[in-house]
């Protein structure tokens, strides 16, 4: 990034090559729509290119790019509520299913519940749970305290778990009648906390 600011004509191309795949995956997770994600990635990298002179090196380039891409995703999804495609990344929030039909059903249920989450919870959950971004880095990307990231992820996981149970999925991710003897209502779709 520094070489780009200093005038190296090939430097930003290298930044793009190193980070495009990860930024694409994050954008698809946050937007839930490949077309919208492509637009967010394009807008984000153009913004990063144009505003490179404001980069001071206090955060990693990846952190800065995450922040720009997530903000682009949020801006675009505010303007248009897309018809979302199912993505492979979304399914990572759900438990494994025993067969292909169950996997598709679970994917659809998780996808729907992920995109029903409040706008603040979805990016936190996508970064931490789907892309294994550390809580501290997610906090920096989203410009909120680490405790806020943890609580947003926790509430998001609970909401997805409730949505899956309401859709008739049990703790193993299989569809069918819910076990009426389970009164806890606290099943986490990932099977535990992620702090």
């Amino acid at each position: 990034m520094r070489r780009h600011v200093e005038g190296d004509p090939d430097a930003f191309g290298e930044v793009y090559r190193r980070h495009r795949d990860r930024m694409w995956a994050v954008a698809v997770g946050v937007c839930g729509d490949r077309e919208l994600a492509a637009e967010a990635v394009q807008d984000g990298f153009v913004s990063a290119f144009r505003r490179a002179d404001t980069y001071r090196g206090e955060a990693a380039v990846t952190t800065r790019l995450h922040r720009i891409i997530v903000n682009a995703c949020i801006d675009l999804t505010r303007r248009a509520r897309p018809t979302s495609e199912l993505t492979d990344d979304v399914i990572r929030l759900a438990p494994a299913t025993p067969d292909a039909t169950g996997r598709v059903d679970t994917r659809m249920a998780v996808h729907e519940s992920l995109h029903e989450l409040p706008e603040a919870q979805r990016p936190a959950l996508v970064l931490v749970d789907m892309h294994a971004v550390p809580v501290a880095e997610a906090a920096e990307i989203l410009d909120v305290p680490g405790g806020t990231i943890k609580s947003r992820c926790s509430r998001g996981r609970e909401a997805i778990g409730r949505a899956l149970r309401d859709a008739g999925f049990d703790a193993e991710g299989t569809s069918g009648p819910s076990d009426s003897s389970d009164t806890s209502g606290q099943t986490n779709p990932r099977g535990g906390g992620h702090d």
Side-chain angles (χ1 to χ4, degrees):
M1 193 68 87
R2 186 169 48 250
R3 289 196 341 251
H4 166 64
V5 172
E6 290 169 355
D8 182 337
D10 300 320
F12 197 81
E14 183 62 26
V15 170
Y16 176 76
R17 278 187 293 281
R18 288 182 186 181
H19 300 285
R20 68 181 172 208
D21 292 342
R22 183 174 180 121
M23 295 305 119
W24 163 252
V26 167
V28 169
V30 173
C31 293
D33 178 277
R34 291 178 179 274
E35 212 171 291
L36 211 56
E39 189 175 345
V41 170
Q42 179 179 321
D43 290 355
F45 273 106
V46 167
S47 177
F49 179 87
R50 290 181 176 158
R51 295 180 16 215
D53 60 334
T54 65
Y55 176 65
R56 302 284 177 241
E58 291 124 9
V61 171
T62 305
T63 301
R64 179 177 171 93
L65 289 173
H66 271 114
R67 180 180 297 145
I68 291 169
I69 298 295
V70 167
N71 285 336
C73 290
I74 291 169
D75 290 344
L76 287 170
T77 54
R78 280 181 183 159
R79 282 187 257 151
R81 209 59 191 162
T83 302
S84 300
E85 274 185 42
L86 298 177
T87 67
D88 289 333
D89 291 329
V90 169
I91 196 62
R92 293 183 192 150
L93 289 172
T97 57
D99 59 34
T101 302
R103 184 173 170 80
V104 169
D105 290 346
T106 304
R107 180 180 300 208
M108 291 173 63
V110 171
H111 180 270
E112 289 170 11
S113 59
L114 178 65
H115 290 282
E116 291 299 318
L117 291 178
E119 191 174 272
Q121 287 175 13
R122 189 172 55 247
L125 203 59
V126 166
L127 288 170
V128 173
D129 283 0
M130 293 170 58
H131 295 285
V133 172
V135 169
E137 187 178 344
E140 190 173 346
I141 290 165
L142 298 175
D143 198 25
V144 296
T148 301
I149 294 294
K150 289 179 183 180
S151 66
R152 286 178 180 177
C153 287
S154 177
R155 287 193 309 267
R157 288 181 204 119
E158 288 173 9
I160 289 175
R162 277 192 306 274
L164 288 174
R165 284 190 303 278
D166 290 348
F169 291 88
D170 62 21
E172 284 74 43
T174 56
S175 60
S178 298
D179 181 0
S180 59
S181 65
D182 179 15
T183 57
S184 68
Q186 299 301 316
T187 303
N188 182 328
R190 289 183 46 112
H194 182 88
D195 290 337

